[in-house]
Amino acid sequence: MRIISALVLLMLSMAAAAQQSYLVDWDEIGEEAIQHFVELIRIDSSNPPGNETEVAEYVQTILAEEGIDSELYALDPARANLVARIRGNGSKRPILIMGHTDVVGVQPEKWYADPFSGMRQDGFIYGRGTLDDKDNVAAGMMVMMMLERFGVELDRDIIFLAEAGEEGTPDVGINFMVENHFDLIDAEYCLAEGGQTVKEEDLVKTVGIETTEKIPRRVTLVARGTPGHGSRPTLDNAVVILANAIARVSAWQTDVRFNDTTRTYFRRLAEISAPEDAWRYLNVENPEESDAIQQYFLETFPYHYSISRTSVVPTVIDAGFRKNVIPSEATAILDIRALPDENIEEFYAELAAVIDDSRVEIVPEYIYRPAAPPSEIDNEMFQTLERVALRMYPEASVLPIMATGATDMAQVRARGMQAYGIGPARSVEEINSGFGAHGDNERIEEEAFVELVKYLWNVVIEMSATG
Ligand SMILES: [Zn+2]
């Protein structure tokens, strides 16, 4: 009797979903994943200087113990990238799992504990990189280990890239890999950081999958005037010229425009929002309501304002060096985040027209993130990300999202991969606190980290397991 019911259960579970035929003990796997995650956090890979090779070597050792070969590829020997591959039968094109091994720096005196201790307390793991991005590194590594351990037969190769330099120095990381070793990481799909999963009262309410991101296209404004003595007013003071330019730029309402991702985002968000908000989300493209809605977004939720347009934000001003000297030059940086389809040369021309002052030069920054179209939201991968999310969190809505910040997915999207950002669940209170990525006391819920591993595993299995 017990045997029969066990068989029936097994058959039912096989029919229900491929991933359930692998009987994963998530308590055990979860604890193992946390142990590795904590070890990764203990390696200080603050960028600068990075020292990501230490992280790559740790990952390489752990993978080797599991019988998985990997190779390190480095432009700078201290900043290696790791690539591992588990082979499938080749009937489908590969999936690339990507996580970056560097972290941003810390101000240790602002932390409760050593930011590189991986302290576990009250269900949280603390440390630089717990949310950005050693969670994805550990999850990717763990999924590779599980594929090997369970001998999963695959229709496609699964590639794991633990990459250096994401935090502002992609030339040693993703750019190096894309330019020199693209054949090793080329895939149909990429899974990486950048998703937003939000919990309310312990239930996951939205699973945000990053399908596209805004493209940094900053410029420096250089205002030039005649230098002179601070005691004698002039008509072409570089400080005044610059201030006027910044004032005009700040008042500029750039064009509002949507893509598949942002349209779907607002439509689905409307379904789960209070009536007034829902009305706004459903009317974002209504020309008669657009100005008022955008103003409301700007005042209440700048993320929505930003994803509706190419945004221009002054961030740095540099003018003058002595209180009694009129300087000949004054500069400001505008942090421009372009929509993925922006024609940036035309946008700069519009910017020049808005400033309308030939004494102000616009100097674009060096481009380190290529533009790429948003990844699709109707393909097998997005549907699988959605289906698995809804199975794990039946109360949730899945939202495709456009990140306002940038990630290394820009580079792989530009090479034709369909790339999707996922992320651990966080409560609204947690998101509104200072414990986030790049903040002091960055932390992740242990359970949320294990769920991230589980989510990645389920998606990889459903996309790739044979039969
Ligand atoms: Zn990151």
Side-chain angles (χ1 to χ4, degrees):
M1 186 61 193
R2 269 166 61 193
I3 291 169
I4 290 170
S5 54
L7 268 176
V8 168
L9 273 176
L10 182 64
M11 284 164 68
L12 277 174
S13 68
M14 283 170 75
Q19 96 272 7
Q20 287 169 357
S21 57
Y22 299 96
L23 296 172
V24 179
D25 178 344
W26 280 105
D27 287 339
E28 213 167 280
I29 292 282
E31 188 53 35
E32 182 183 353
I34 289 173
Q35 297 293 338
H36 290 306
F37 182 40
V38 165
E39 290 305 320
L40 290 171
I41 291 157
R42 285 188 176 149
I43 303 168
D44 179 354
S45 52
S46 298
N47 178 11
N51 288 325
E52 295 94 331
T53 298
E54 267 189 70
V55 182
E57 283 171 348
Y58 176 82
V59 173
Q60 184 163 51
T61 305
I62 301 303
L63 290 177
E65 283 170 10
E66 202 70 42
I68 303 170
D69 291 335
S70 60
E71 293 287 341
L72 304 191
Y73 301 90
L75 175 66
D76 171 345
R79 313 198 63 181
N81 303 277
L82 172 139
V83 179
R85 176 184 294 253
I86 294 187
R87 293 199 179 273
N89 63 26
S91 58
K92 293 179 177 174
R93 292 187 57 219
I95 292 174
L96 171 68
I97 302 172
M98 194 160 85
H100 66 84
T101 51
D102 60 326
V103 297
V104 292
V106 290
Q107 290 180 286
E109 67 280 6
K110 306 229 162 120
W111 287 63
Y112 305 143
D114 175 3
F116 302 101
S117 68
M119 177 178 77
R120 294 173 70 175
Q121 197 171 77
D122 302 327
F124 284 91
I125 304 164
Y126 287 80
R128 178 57 87 223
T130 48
L131 290 165
D132 182 14
D133 179 37
K134 286 179 174 167
D135 51 339
N136 276 299
V137 175
M141 181 177 90
M142 204 62 215
V143 166
M144 297 297 276
M145 290 160 67
M146 291 167 71
L147 291 171
E148 183 72 23
R149 196 178 295 172
F150 300 141
V152 180
E153 282 180 43
L154 296 166
D155 285 340
R156 54 169 110 230
D157 292 2
I158 308 297
I159 306 166
F160 177 49
L161 170 62
E163 31 131 21
E166 195 273 346
E167 301 289 356
T169 50
D171 285 348
V172 299
I174 194 64
N175 289 350
F176 173 72
M177 293 307 296
V178 164
E179 282 155 26
N180 299 282
H181 299 290
F182 188 67
D183 54 320
L184 301 176
I185 58 169
D186 189 13
E188 182 171 13
Y189 300 111
C190 170
L191 296 171
E193 66 178 333
Q196 272 259 30
T197 301
V198 182
K199 280 196 309 186
E200 274 171 50
E201 276 140 27
D202 256 16
L203 278 180
V204 170
K205 284 294 169 66
T206 55
V207 177
I209 308 284
E210 202 244 59
T211 57
T212 184
E213 52 194 51
K214 296 182 81 180
I215 314 289
R217 289 289 181 267
R218 299 174 192 95
V219 298
T220 300
L221 300 183
V222 184
R224 295 192 178 90
T226 308
H229 198 285
S231 64
R232 292 174 207 159
T234 57
L235 285 171
D236 65 343
N237 181 326
V239 177
V240 178
I241 294 168
L242 181 72
N244 284 331
I246 292 174
R248 288 180 172 197
V249 163
S250 303
W252 180 24
Q253 298 297 324
T254 52
D255 290 344
V256 169
R257 192 160 73 246
F258 300 93
N259 54 42
D260 257 11
T261 286
T262 48
R263 261 187 208 111
T264 307
Y265 168 83
F266 280 121
R267 204 180 58 237
R268 291 192 184 179
L269 194 58
E271 290 166 9
I272 53 170
S273 298
E276 273 183 33
D277 284 330
W279 180 87
R280 284 187 198 98
Y281 302 148
L282 292 173
N283 280 278
V284 286
E285 293 195 82
N286 178 344
E288 285 174 11
E289 305 292 348
S290 178
D291 288 354
I293 291 171
Q294 289 295 321
Q295 184 62 29
Y296 181 84
F297 287 166
L298 180 58
E299 287 165 11
T300 59
F301 197 43
Y303 171 73
H304 284 163
Y305 181 82
S306 181
I307 63 170
S308 304
R309 65 186 62 239
T310 293
S311 52
V312 185
V313 176
T315 50
V316 178
I317 288 186
D318 187 5
F321 58 98
R322 265 189 75 93
K323 62 185 174 187
N324 58 358
V325 172
I326 298 172
S328 58
E329 206 172 276
T331 64
I333 295 174
L334 302 180
D335 191 355
I336 297 176
R337 303 294 179 125
L339 290 174
D341 67 347
E342 192 65 79
N343 179 328
I344 203 65
E345 291 310 322
E346 277 176 23
F347 188 84
Y348 290 159
E350 271 185 79
L351 174 66
V354 166
I355 293 172
D356 191 24
D357 189 334
S358 59
R359 297 168 297 180
V360 179
E361 189 189 353
I362 297 169
V363 183
E365 73 176 346
Y366 153 72
I367 289 180
Y368 63 99
R369 299 267 190 217
S375 296
E376 294 163 7
I377 53 174
D378 55 3
N379 60 19
E380 186 189 5
M381 179 57 98
F382 191 82
Q383 285 166 359
T384 304
L385 286 161
E386 198 167 16
R387 192 173 60 245
V388 171
L390 293 177
R391 192 180 310 126
M392 288 175 68
Y393 313 113
E395 310 281 327
S397 298
V398 176
L399 304 173
I401 55 177
M402 177 162 75
T404 55
T407 75
D408 282 351
M409 279 187 288
Q411 275 84 340
V412 301
R413 283 197 186 105
R415 295 296 294 258
M417 284 187 219
Q418 298 287 309
Y420 300 91
I422 60 175
R426 302 179 70 216
S427 68
V428 174
E429 302 78 56
E430 193 68 11
I431 290 167
N432 294 333
S433 75
F435 300 113
H438 297 213
D440 302 328
N441 299 300
E442 181 180 346
R443 68 181 188 179
I444 189 172
E445 251 186 289
E446 289 187 358
E447 189 194 337
F449 167 67
V450 174
E451 294 270 295
L452 178 70
V453 181
K454 196 187 289 188
Y455 184 55
L456 184 62
W457 166 254
N458 287 342
V459 168
V460 166
I461 288 293
E462 294 210 14
M463 287 293 293
S464 316
T466 302

